[in-house]
Amino acid sequence: MLGGYRIEGRRAADIAADVERAVGSGELEPGQLLPPMRELAVELGVNPNTVAAAYRTLRERGVIETAGRRGSRVRPKPATTGREHIRVDVPAGVRDVSHGNPDPAQLPSLARAFTFAAEQSDREPVMYGDAPVEPELARIARAELDADGVPAGPVAVTSGSLDAIERVLAAHLKPGDTVAVEDPGWGSLLDLVPALGLRVTPVRVDDEGPLPDDVRAALESGARALIVTDRAQNPTGAVVSATRARALRSVLRRHPETLLIEDDHGHGIVDQPLHPLAGTTHTWAFVRSVAKAYGPDLRLAVLTGDAVTLDRVRGRQRLGPGWASRITQRAVARLWADGAVDTPAVAAAYGA
């Protein structure tokens, strides 16, 4: 069942650590089926509850997944494995969009913006205890959010959209809680949610976004959070229409305690209007990254939301990375101010 690998350990922590180490080294591969708990307990000479506890730990760490009677297996993208063990064979003549990378030809030059940011940082170096958000970046971001109808709220800066989403989920949910996600959806998000020990429930998507009846069913069945892609949904390209947004707001108003997270990663590369859902529930977050329009290596996203959510995110951020590089923030603000991306032209190129 496990090829040549033999799981070892007498305590739950030891069994879980052994499996996690084997997944990280590639000795146990993504998708590989693990022994039934009772069978492994007999093999190791331990109580079945010990193996059950080990498997539970591995699920909470995002290493394995369990599908009822079909058993437990290593996740397709386990949180501990090296990504070099996961390969996608792309036939000749086929464009690989599985990673969601932008077209390098559509990205602006960064040289002038970073020269400007570096010179400013020479004059005004950022020190410990300084504000974590560049004032000019916050001003431009908040003005654009206001223009798009996103409710007023504080602004934070994170290391990309997934970083923002992870921090928001961690600020409100605990392992075992259920998150409603789009199906089909963004692979990285579908990997992140279980890695946090959270459960996933699917919400179908058509050309206008998530189906209201599916959202209603998910929330009525106990989902505590909903994640929606407003535009350029991955992988369908769906855009939440005005009509769909009204229907989704109607559903959310009946579940005001839902944590609503909106990902507007298409900002700057699509010419479709935004119809935000933000503000319909008590707790909400709205995130925009610069990855698709300005380059993934900038690792920067702007996050806004209700005051409690943003306070929790910023407080936890202070205890970890502290802040996203203000030099990078200054460079991005300069790119925005200079109009470095011609959104209609980029949108037309991606449309073609």
Side-chain angles (χ1 to χ4, degrees), residues 107-169:
L107 300 177
S109 171
L110 304 179
R112 280 184 51 193
F114 269 95
T115 298
F116 168 85
E119 290 174 348
Q120 184 177 353
S121 294
D122 286 345
R123 296 190 303 272
E124 308 166 32
V126 175
M127 307 298 286
Y128 294 118
D130 287 354
V133 179
E134 182 66 22
E136 181 65 4
L137 180 130
R139 184 191 68 78
I140 297 174
R142 189 63 256 182
E144 292 187 346
L145 292 166
D146 292 342
D148 283 331
V150 178
V155 170
V157 176
T158 63
S159 297
S161 289
L162 274 179
D163 181 43
I165 293 170
E166 177 177 2
R167 292 180 182 281
V168 172
L169 290 171

Side-chain angles (χ1 to χ4, degrees), residues 209-251:
L211 300 183
D213 286 344
D214 280 28
V215 173
R216 181 182 299 106
L219 299 183
E220 289 177 351
S221 68
R224 294 200 53 209
L226 170 67
I227 303 177
V228 175
T229 310
D230 291 304
R231 301 181 284 191
Q233 197 267 356
N234 185 337
T236 69
V239 176
V240 175
S241 66
T243 301
R244 181 60 52 82
R246 284 193 295 271
L248 291 172
R249 289 190 206 104
S250 177
V251 172

Side-chain angles (χ1 to χ4, degrees), residues 11-99:
R11 299 181 306 147
D14 295 335
I15 297 168
D18 186 71
V19 172
E20 192 167 9
R21 184 202 62 75
V23 171
S25 67
E27 293 172 272
L28 290 179
E29 298 181 351
Q32 193 154 16
L33 193 65
L34 298 181
M37 288 183 281
R38 289 188 180 279
E39 182 180 310
L40 182 58
V42 171
E43 176 75 19
L44 297 177
V46 300
N47 190 296
N49 290 336
T50 300
V51 178
Y55 279 22
R56 182 168 59 252
T57 297
L58 291 165
R59 283 196 303 273
E60 290 175 353
R61 290 180 181 167
V63 179
I64 69 171
E65 58 187 5
T66 300
R69 295 178 181 232
R70 289 181 290 172
S72 300
R73 65 181 65 240
V74 180
R75 284 188 50 77
K77 283 191 179 180
T80 56
T81 192
R83 293 304 190 233
E84 67 273 11
H85 298 305
I86 303 164
R87 305 216 186 276
V88 176
D89 293 323
V90 182
V94 173
R95 191 183 297 261
D96 180 9
V97 298
S98 63
H99 296 293

Side-chain angles (χ1 to χ4, degrees), residues 100-103 106-108 110 114 137-138 140-141 144 156-164 186 263-269 287-303 324-325 327-337 340-341 343 346 350:
N101 275 315
D103 179 356
Q106 303 302 329
L107 300 177
L110 304 179
F114 269 95
L137 180 130
I140 297 174
E144 292 187 346
V157 176
T158 63
S159 297
S161 289
L162 274 179
D163 181 43
W186 182 22
D263 179 8
D264 187 30
H265 80 100
H267 178 66
I269 64 167
V287 59
R288 279 177 169 168
S289 80
V290 302
K292 297 298 188 292
Y294 299 89
D297 196 38
L298 291 172
R299 307 312 309 136
L300 189 146
V302 171
L303 173 70
S325 165
I327 293 178
T328 302
Q329 292 186 50
R330 287 168 173 171
V332 170
R334 182 68 180 201
L335 291 166
W336 288 349
V341 170
T343 299
V346 172
Y350 283 129

